[in-house]
Amino acid sequence: MMRMSKSKDALIRVENVSKTFGKETDKALELRRSGKGKDEVESETKTTVAILDASFEVKQGETFVLIGLSGSGKSTLLRCLNGLIPPTEGMVYLENDDIAHMGKKQLQQIRRNKMGMVFQNVGLLPNRTVLENITFGLEINGVPAHLRNKKGRDALELVGLNGQAYKRIHELSGGMQQRVGLARALASNQEILLMDEPFSALDPLIRREMQKLFLDIQDEIHKTVIFVTHDLDEALTLGQRAAVMKDGEIVQIGTAEDILSHPATEYVKRLVQDVDYSKIRQAKSAMSTVDLFALEHESPQVVLRRMKAKKLSSILVVNDSQMLIGAVPLERVAEFVEFHKPNLTGIKLENSMCVHPDVALREVIPLFVNRHLPVAVVNEQNRLIGQIDKDSLIASLTEQIDVDSETVNEMLQKEVLQK
Ligand SMILES: Nc1ncnc2c1ncn2[C@@H]1O[C@H](COP(=O)(O)OP(=O)(O)OP(=O)(O)O)[C@@H](O)[C@H]1O
Ligand SMILES: [Mg+2]
């Protein structure tokens, strides 16, 4: 069997995993590999090829998403990762241990200490308190009470349920219960979380809230997460990388940008055609270089001339270290000229609109409402690194360059109406 090249930082490595349900394993696999479709093979052999030759790696601290339609093999593949289901063929490595061929005892150890699982139905114990539920896994593992309560409380704080520790589960709303489920997974000592459609049963608003919470928490704790969903927006929002599955096969693995910009197959292309780019693309994708700005110590006269020549009604001002100081309108520069000021220091600057390069475009759109000026893009040190204007924003949102201004205005209008 061919081995994949291993990367050093891979925590989980899946190599050529296949899984069949039924008696005619060999024949079913052979037929699938010779190009026959999943359903066809199923009716011919009464055997389901749930996964076919899947290979991928998950890095430490990464959120890796498995996405695909119902029946594409996501849950089965996830269960192969923690040994709940032994693969028919192939290897699953956790660091250097082969999960696929491990004894029961050892697997149990790993599930307890290294890999947790979160399901759609969170499986909370209704008669225990919130805190007891969260610390249940730790209790089983013999972690002393004071330690597990501390962990439990930290986790509760992370999901914003500090005050609810002693409530019983049935006293909480569905969304709160979901948070408890998340807190329980987070409180565990397990560094890897397998999450099978954990948010799918939630209504859209709470779901979005949970996604945001998940991202915030991941930002802090950096667990390694394998997240199953059939929702593309969710996949691209939460995952650093995603594997797209179809009929048991992984048809593409990549970042959101890879998958959106270079869909590997017709299937992926169809899957992504309705995607909302504003949620997935970042400000930097719409950024261009700033061709016109003013330095703080420049002569107002020079700046004014430059602005008039380019018909600018306002200009971004930076200091010697390229740090953004603000924006100044033409009239103010003209006043400075009139009063024979030597430079722009001391000028009253307008709050210039600025964003970091990694914010979602969705957050940039509203900044353009009733505004014709570009938005500044600054790095962590507040240095000006680029700008976004309306045209580049729209191009980035639609992936086309030649969008007429009517579409632009329509979009902005919509954005206003939604507020
Ligand atoms: N225990 C089982 N016995 C027989 N067939 C199974 C079993 N588990 C899964 N399958 C089959 O394997 C295929 C993959 O199922 P799986 O549950 O992994 O899909 P999924 O992508 O998780 O779907 P969903 O989005 O509906 O949860 C399906 O054809 C399913 O019918
Ligand atoms: Mg499933």
Side-chain angles (χ1 to χ4, degrees):
M1 193 179 289
M2 221 178 66
R3 295 208 116 203
M4 287 200 319
S5 62
K6 300 180 202 172
S7 63
K8 264 186 274 157
D9 52 353
L11 184 63
I12 295 170
R13 233 168 52 242
V14 172
E15 296 185 355
N16 295 306
V17 163
S18 298
K19 174 68 193 174
T20 60
F21 294 102
K23 296 205 174 92
E24 300 259 22
T25 288
D26 291 344
K27 183 160 179 220
L29 284 173
E30 194 191 311
L31 287 173
R32 277 294 275 130
R33 286 181 184 132
S34 73
K36 281 210 168 158
K38 181 171 176 258
D39 294 345
E40 210 179 335
V41 171
E42 212 166 293
S43 58
E44 201 173 317
T45 64
K46 305 277 173 289
T47 299
T48 303
V49 180
I51 306 172
L52 184 63
D53 298 325
S55 296
F56 63 93
E57 292 184 345
V58 182
K59 299 185 193 101
Q60 178 122 43
E62 180 177 35
T63 302
F64 186 88
V65 177
L66 297 175
I67 174 161
L69 301 178
S70 182
S72 58
K74 306 177 298 290
S75 297
T76 306
L77 187 51
L78 198 69
R79 291 192 168 96
C80 286
L81 297 184
N82 69 353
L84 278 177
I85 292 180
T88 308
E89 287 183 2
M91 312 283 201
V92 178
Y93 290 103
L94 170 60
E95 289 165 322
N96 292 314
D97 302 327
D98 179 10
I99 300 261
H101 302 92
M102 205 176 258
K104 255 195 177 150
K105 273 253 160 67
Q106 215 179 341
L107 272 177
Q108 250 170 15
Q109 274 318 93
I110 286 190
R111 284 202 287 267
R112 270 192 190 169
N113 302 321
K114 287 213 144 176
M115 275 196 208
M117 197 148 180
V118 184
F119 298 95
Q120 180 174 332
N121 301 318
V122 283
L124 299 170
L125 305 164
N127 290 320
R128 290 182 144 224
T129 65
V130 167
L131 190 64
E132 283 165 351
N133 261 283
I134 291 175
T135 56
F136 185 61
L138 298 171
E139 193 181 331
I140 290 181
N141 280 336
V143 176
H146 67 281
L147 251 182
R148 59 175 198 256
N149 284 340
K150 156 115 188 45
K151 276 214 145 210
R153 289 184 169 284
D154 288 350
L156 266 185
E157 186 160 351
L158 277 176
V159 298
L161 289 178
N162 313 36
Q164 315 288 326
Y166 295 103
K167 285 219 173 124
R168 310 254 153 203
I169 293 301
H170 70 264
E171 296 175 278
L172 303 182
S173 73
M176 283 164 130
Q177 291 185 16
Q178 201 71 30
R179 283 166 187 250
V180 175
L182 189 60
R184 182 178 55 183
L186 298 169
S188 73
N189 289 322
Q190 296 141 329
E191 62 172 311
I192 302 165
L193 286 185
L194 309 179
M195 306 181 82
D196 197 350
E197 312 229 17
F199 307 148
S200 297
L202 303 174
D203 78 59
L205 274 181
I206 296 179
R207 182 172 187 164
R208 207 174 306 152
E209 222 173 79
M210 289 297 293
Q211 291 169 351
K212 175 142 194 323
L213 186 64
F214 174 88
L215 285 174
D216 287 349
I217 294 173
Q218 254 307 70
D219 237 18
E220 260 182 57
I221 63 174
H222 305 293
K223 290 218 185 212
T224 305
V225 178
I226 295 105
F227 192 105
V228 166
T229 181
H230 57 255
D231 181 287
L232 185 71
D233 275 351
E234 181 166 87
L236 300 176
T237 307
L238 299 187
Q240 267 106 47
R241 290 186 308 140
V244 183
M245 295 189 72
K246 180 176 185 285
D247 296 339
E249 287 182 282
I250 294 180
V251 291
Q252 185 166 13
I253 298 180
T255 61
E257 202 55 48
D258 291 340
I259 292 172
L260 294 175
S261 310
H262 310 287
T265 64
E266 261 319 297
Y267 172 79
V268 182
K269 202 181 266 177
R270 263 183 286 130
L271 192 73
V272 302
Q273 68 192 3
D274 294 327
V275 74
D276 181 353
Y277 287 99
S278 75
K279 288 190 202 161
I280 288 121
R281 294 233 162 116
Q282 299 176 334
K284 60 176 170 247
S285 72
M287 188 174 88
S288 56
T289 49
V290 185
D291 6 277
L292 278 175
F293 56 88
L295 288 165
E296 193 182 24
H297 64 244
E298 268 189 291
S299 138
Q301 202 141 22
V302 174
V303 174
L304 187 65
R305 192 178 314 139
R306 199 186 309 146
M307 290 176 79
K308 281 183 173 164
K310 296 287 177 185
K311 298 193 168 58
L312 292 182
S313 57
S314 127
I315 196 164
L316 295 171
V317 184
V318 298
N319 68 13
D320 288 340
S321 320
Q322 287 280 307
M323 271 149 76
L324 180 69
I325 298 182
V328 59
L330 187 80
E331 312 84 73
R332 295 288 301 153
V333 181
E335 269 175 48
F336 262 52
V337 172
E338 210 172 300
F339 292 113
H340 304 291
K341 300 274 186 193
N343 54 44
L344 296 178
T345 54
I347 207 163
K348 190 173 158 287
L349 296 170
E350 276 184 8
N351 265 347
S352 60
M353 298 285 187
C354 68
V355 295
H356 288 305
D358 55 357
V359 307
L361 284 179
R362 179 167 49 171
E363 290 169 45
V364 180
I365 297 171
L367 303 180
F368 279 94
V369 176
N370 296 328
R371 179 188 161 92
H372 304 285
L373 308 169
V375 166
V377 183
V378 298
N379 67 10
E380 303 264 299
Q381 288 80 41
N382 201 32
R383 287 219 174 88
L384 184 64
I385 55 173
Q387 69 177 32
I388 299 173
D389 55 41
K390 250 189 204 179
D391 292 342
S392 65
L393 175 69
I394 299 307
S396 221
L397 286 172
T398 55
E399 233 193 356
Q400 299 165 351
I401 305 301
D402 52 340
V403 178
D404 56 280
S405 58
E406 235 161 71
T407 321
V408 176
N409 290 331
E410 227 170 75
M411 282 193 58
L412 294 175
Q413 208 59 44
K414 252 197 220 154
E415 196 63 37
V416 179
L417 292 176
Q418 276 168 10
K419 297 231 130 178

Coordinates of all heavy atoms in Angstrom, one line a residue, residues 1 14-30 32-33 47-54 73 76-81 83-92 98-102 248:
M1 N 0.8 -1.2 0.0 CA 0.0 0.0 0.0 C 0.9 1.3 0.0 O 1.9 1.3 0.7 CB -0.9 0.0 1.2 CG -2.0 1.0 1.2 SD -3.0 0.9 2.7 CE -3.8 -0.7 2.4
V14 N -4.7 9.7 8.7 CA -5.5 8.7 8.2 C -5.0 8.2 6.8 O -4.7 9.1 5.9 CB -7.0 9.2 8.0 CG1 -7.9 8.3 7.3 CG2 -7.6 9.6 9.3
E15 N -4.7 6.9 6.7 CA -4.1 6.5 5.4 C -5.0 5.4 4.8 O -5.2 4.3 5.3 CB -2.7 5.9 5.7 CG -1.8 6.9 6.3 CD -0.4 6.3 6.5 OE1 -0.2 5.1 6.3 OE2 0.5 7.1 6.8
N16 N -5.5 5.8 3.6 CA -6.3 4.8 2.8 C -7.3 4.0 3.5 O -7.4 2.8 3.4 CB -5.3 3.8 2.1 CG -4.4 4.5 1.1 OD1 -4.8 5.2 0.2 ND2 -3.1 4.4 1.3
V17 N -8.1 4.7 4.3 CA -9.1 4.0 5.1 C -10.4 3.8 4.2 O -10.9 4.6 3.5 CB -9.5 4.9 6.3 CG1 -10.8 4.4 6.9 CG2 -8.4 4.7 7.4
S18 N -10.8 2.5 4.3 CA -12.1 2.1 3.7 C -12.9 1.4 4.7 O -12.4 0.8 5.7 CB -11.9 1.2 2.5 OG -11.1 1.8 1.5
K19 N -14.2 1.6 4.6 CA -15.1 0.9 5.6 C -16.4 0.4 4.8 O -17.0 1.1 4.1 CB -15.6 1.8 6.7 CG -16.6 1.2 7.6 CD -16.0 0.1 8.5 CE -17.1 -0.7 9.1 NZ -16.5 -1.9 9.9
T20 N -16.6 -0.9 4.9 CA -17.8 -1.5 4.3 C -18.8 -2.0 5.4 O -18.3 -2.4 6.5 CB -17.5 -2.6 3.3 OG1 -16.8 -3.7 4.1 CG2 -16.5 -2.2 2.2
F21 N -20.0 -2.0 5.1 CA -21.0 -2.7 5.9 C -21.7 -3.7 5.0 O -22.3 -3.4 4.0 CB -22.1 -1.7 6.4 CG -21.6 -0.7 7.4 CD1 -21.3 0.6 6.9 CD2 -21.3 -1.0 8.7 CE1 -20.8 1.6 7.8 CE2 -20.8 0.0 9.6 CZ -20.6 1.3 9.1
G22 N -21.5 -5.0 5.4 CA -22.1 -6.1 4.6 C -21.1 -7.2 4.4 O -20.0 -7.1 4.9
K23 N -21.5 -8.2 3.7 CA -20.7 -9.4 3.6 C -19.7 -9.4 2.5 O -18.6 -10.0 2.5 CB -21.6 -10.7 3.5 CG -22.4 -10.9 4.8 CD -22.8 -12.3 5.0 CE -23.5 -12.6 6.3 NZ -25.0 -12.5 6.2
E24 N -20.1 -8.7 1.4 CA -19.3 -8.9 0.2 C -18.2 -7.7 0.1 O -18.1 -7.0 -0.9 CB -20.2 -8.8 -1.1 CG -21.2 -9.9 -1.1 CD -20.8 -11.0 -2.1 OE1 -19.6 -11.1 -2.4 OE2 -21.7 -11.7 -2.5
T25 N -17.5 -7.7 1.1 CA -16.5 -6.6 1.2 C -15.6 -6.4 0.0 O -15.5 -5.4 -0.6 CB -15.6 -6.7 2.5 OG1 -16.5 -6.5 3.6 CG2 -14.5 -5.8 2.5
D26 N -14.9 -7.5 -0.3 CA -13.9 -7.5 -1.4 C -14.5 -7.1 -2.7 O -14.0 -6.2 -3.4 CB -13.2 -8.8 -1.5 CG -12.3 -9.1 -0.3 OD1 -12.0 -8.1 0.5 OD2 -11.9 -10.3 -0.1
K27 N -15.6 -7.7 -3.0 CA -16.2 -7.5 -4.3 C -16.7 -6.0 -4.3 O -16.5 -5.3 -5.3 CB -17.4 -8.4 -4.5 CG -18.1 -8.3 -5.8 CD -18.9 -9.5 -6.2 CE -19.5 -9.3 -7.5 NZ -20.9 -9.8 -7.6
A28 N -17.3 -5.6 -3.2 CA -17.9 -4.2 -3.2 C -16.8 -3.2 -3.4 O -16.9 -2.2 -4.2 CB -18.6 -3.9 -1.9
L29 N -15.6 -3.4 -2.7 CA -14.5 -2.4 -2.8 C -14.0 -2.5 -4.2 O -13.7 -1.4 -4.8 CB -13.4 -2.8 -1.8 CG -13.7 -2.4 -0.4 CD1 -12.6 -2.9 0.5 CD2 -13.8 -0.9 -0.2
E30 N -13.9 -3.6 -4.8 CA -13.3 -3.8 -6.1 C -14.2 -3.0 -7.1 O -13.7 -2.3 -8.0 CB -13.2 -5.3 -6.5 CG -12.4 -5.6 -7.7 CD -12.5 -7.0 -8.1 OE1 -12.4 -7.9 -7.3 OE2 -12.8 -7.3 -9.3
R32 N -16.3 -0.6 -6.6 CA -16.2 0.9 -6.4 C -14.9 1.4 -7.0 O -14.9 2.4 -7.6 CB -16.2 1.2 -4.9 CG -17.6 1.3 -4.2 CD -18.4 2.4 -4.7 NE -18.2 3.7 -4.1 CZ -17.9 4.8 -4.7 NH1 -17.9 4.8 -6.0 NH2 -17.8 5.9 -4.1
R33 N -13.8 0.7 -6.8 CA -12.6 1.2 -7.3 C -12.5 1.1 -8.8 O -11.8 1.8 -9.5 CB -11.4 0.3 -6.7 CG -11.1 0.7 -5.3 CD -10.0 0.0 -4.6 NE -9.9 0.3 -3.2 CZ -9.7 -0.5 -2.2 NH1 -9.7 -1.8 -2.5 NH2 -9.6 -0.1 -1.0
T47 N -23.8 -4.7 -0.1 CA -22.8 -4.2 0.8 C -22.6 -2.7 0.6 O -22.5 -2.3 -0.6 CB -21.5 -5.0 0.5 OG1 -21.7 -6.4 0.8 CG2 -20.4 -4.5 1.4
T48 N -22.5 -2.0 1.6 CA -22.4 -0.5 1.5 C -20.9 -0.2 1.7 O -20.3 -0.6 2.6 CB -23.1 0.2 2.6 OG1 -24.5 -0.2 2.6 CG2 -23.0 1.7 2.5
V49 N -20.4 0.6 0.7 CA -19.0 1.1 0.9 C -19.2 2.5 1.5 O -19.4 3.5 0.8 CB -18.2 1.1 -0.4 CG1 -16.8 1.7 -0.2 CG2 -18.2 -0.3 -1.0
A50 N -19.1 2.6 2.8 CA -19.3 3.8 3.5 C -18.2 4.8 3.3 O -18.4 6.0 3.3 CB -19.6 3.6 5.0
I51 N -17.0 4.2 3.3 CA -15.8 5.1 3.1 C -14.9 4.4 2.1 O -14.7 3.1 2.2 CB -15.0 5.3 4.4 CG1 -15.9 5.8 5.5 CG2 -13.8 6.2 4.2 CD1 -15.2 5.9 6.8
L52 N -14.3 5.1 1.2 CA -13.4 4.5 0.2 C -12.1 5.3 0.1 O -12.1 6.4 -0.3 CB -14.1 4.5 -1.2 CG -13.4 3.9 -2.3 CD1 -13.2 2.4 -2.1 CD2 -14.1 4.1 -3.7
D53 N -11.0 4.6 0.5 CA -9.7 5.1 0.3 C -9.5 6.5 0.8 O -9.0 7.4 0.1 CB -9.2 5.0 -1.1 CG -9.2 3.5 -1.6 OD1 -8.9 2.7 -0.8 OD2 -9.5 3.3 -2.8
A54 N -9.9 6.8 2.0 CA -9.8 8.2 2.5 C -8.4 8.4 3.2 O -8.0 7.6 4.0 CB -10.9 8.5 3.6
G73 N -20.7 9.6 4.5 CA -19.7 8.8 5.2 C -19.0 9.6 6.3 O -18.0 9.1 7.0
T76 N -19.2 7.9 9.9 CA -18.5 6.7 9.9 C -17.0 7.0 10.0 O -16.2 6.4 10.8 CB -18.8 5.9 8.6 OG1 -20.2 5.7 8.5 CG2 -18.1 4.5 8.7
L77 N -16.5 7.9 9.2 CA -15.1 8.3 9.2 C -14.7 8.8 10.6 O -13.6 8.5 11.1 CB -14.8 9.3 8.1 CG -13.4 9.7 7.8 CD1 -12.5 8.4 7.6 CD2 -13.3 10.5 6.6
L78 N -15.6 9.6 11.1 CA -15.2 10.2 12.4 C -15.1 9.1 13.5 O -14.2 9.1 14.3 CB -16.4 11.2 12.9 CG -16.0 12.1 14.0 CD1 -15.0 13.2 13.5 CD2 -17.3 12.9 14.5
R79 N -16.0 8.1 13.4 CA -15.9 7.0 14.4 C -14.7 6.1 14.2 O -14.3 5.4 15.1 CB -17.2 6.2 14.3 CG -18.4 6.9 14.8 CD -19.6 6.0 14.9 NE -20.6 6.6 15.7 CZ -21.7 7.3 15.1 NH1 -21.8 7.2 13.8 NH2 -22.5 7.9 15.9
C80 N -14.2 6.1 12.9 CA -12.9 5.4 12.7 C -11.8 6.0 13.4 O -10.8 5.4 13.8 CB -12.6 5.3 11.2 SG -13.7 4.1 10.3
L81 N -11.9 7.4 13.7 CA -10.8 8.1 14.3 C -10.6 7.7 15.7 O -9.5 7.8 16.2 CB -11.0 9.6 14.1 CG -11.0 10.2 12.7 CD1 -11.2 11.7 12.8 CD2 -9.8 9.8 12.0
G83 N -11.7 4.8 17.0 CA -11.8 3.4 17.2 C -13.2 2.8 17.5 O -13.3 1.6 17.7
L84 N -14.2 3.7 17.5 CA -15.6 3.2 17.7 C -16.0 2.2 16.6 O -16.7 1.3 16.8 CB -16.6 4.3 17.8 CG -16.7 5.0 19.1 CD1 -17.7 6.2 19.0 CD2 -17.2 4.1 20.2
I85 N -15.4 2.5 15.4 CA -15.6 1.6 14.3 C -14.2 1.2 13.7 O -13.4 2.1 13.4 CB -16.4 2.3 13.1 CG1 -17.9 2.5 13.6 CG2 -16.4 1.5 11.9 CD1 -18.7 3.2 12.5
P86 N -13.9 -0.1 13.6 CA -12.7 -0.4 13.0 C -12.8 -0.3 11.5 O -13.7 -0.8 10.9 CB -12.5 -1.9 13.4 CG -13.8 -2.4 13.8 CD -14.7 -1.2 14.1
P87 N -11.8 0.3 10.8 CA -11.9 0.4 9.4 C -11.7 -1.0 8.8 O -11.0 -1.9 9.4 CB -10.7 1.3 9.0 CG -9.9 1.5 10.2 CD -10.7 1.0 11.4
T88 N -12.3 -1.2 7.6 CA -12.1 -2.5 6.9 C -10.7 -2.6 6.4 O -10.0 -3.6 6.4 CB -13.1 -2.6 5.7 OG1 -14.4 -2.3 6.2 CG2 -13.1 -3.9 5.1
E89 N -10.2 -1.4 5.9 CA -8.8 -1.4 5.4 C -8.2 0.0 5.8 O -8.9 0.9 6.1 CB -8.8 -1.4 3.8 CG -9.1 -2.7 3.2 CD -8.9 -2.7 1.7 OE1 -8.6 -1.6 1.2 OE2 -9.2 -3.7 1.1
G90 N -6.9 0.0 5.9 CA -6.2 1.3 6.1 C -5.8 1.5 7.5 O -6.0 0.7 8.4
M91 N -5.1 2.6 7.8 CA -4.5 2.9 9.1 C -5.0 4.3 9.6 O -5.3 5.2 8.8 CB -3.0 3.1 8.9 CG -2.3 2.0 8.2 SD -2.2 0.5 9.2 CE -0.9 -0.3 8.4
V92 N -5.2 4.3 10.9 CA -5.4 5.6 11.5 C -4.4 5.8 12.6 O -4.4 5.0 13.6 CB -6.8 5.6 12.2 CG1 -7.1 6.9 12.9 CG2 -7.9 5.4 11.1
D98 N -1.3 3.2 16.2 CA -2.2 2.9 15.2 C -3.6 2.5 15.8 O -3.8 1.4 16.4 CB -1.7 1.7 14.4 CG -2.7 1.2 13.3 OD1 -3.7 1.9 13.1 OD2 -2.5 0.1 12.7
I99 N -4.5 3.4 15.8 CA -5.8 3.3 16.4 C -6.6 2.1 15.7 O -7.3 1.4 16.4 CB -6.6 4.6 16.2 CG1 -5.9 5.7 16.8 CG2 -8.1 4.4 16.6 CD1 -6.4 6.1 18.2
A100 N -6.4 2.0 14.4 CA -7.2 1.0 13.7 C -6.9 -0.4 14.1 O -7.8 -1.3 13.9 CB -7.0 1.2 12.2
H101 N -5.8 -0.6 14.7 CA -5.5 -2.0 15.1 C -5.1 -2.1 16.6 O -4.2 -2.8 17.0 CB -4.3 -2.6 14.2 CG -4.7 -2.5 12.8 ND1 -4.4 -1.4 12.0 CD2 -5.3 -3.4 12.0 CE1 -4.8 -1.7 10.8 NE2 -5.4 -2.9 10.7
M102 N -5.9 -1.4 17.4 CA -5.5 -1.4 18.8 C -6.5 -2.2 19.6 O -7.7 -2.4 19.2 CB -5.6 0.1 19.2 CG -4.8 0.5 20.4 SD -5.0 2.3 20.6 CE -3.5 2.9 19.9
G248 N -18.7 8.5 0.2 CA -17.6 7.8 0.9 C -16.2 8.2 0.5 O -15.2 7.8 1.2

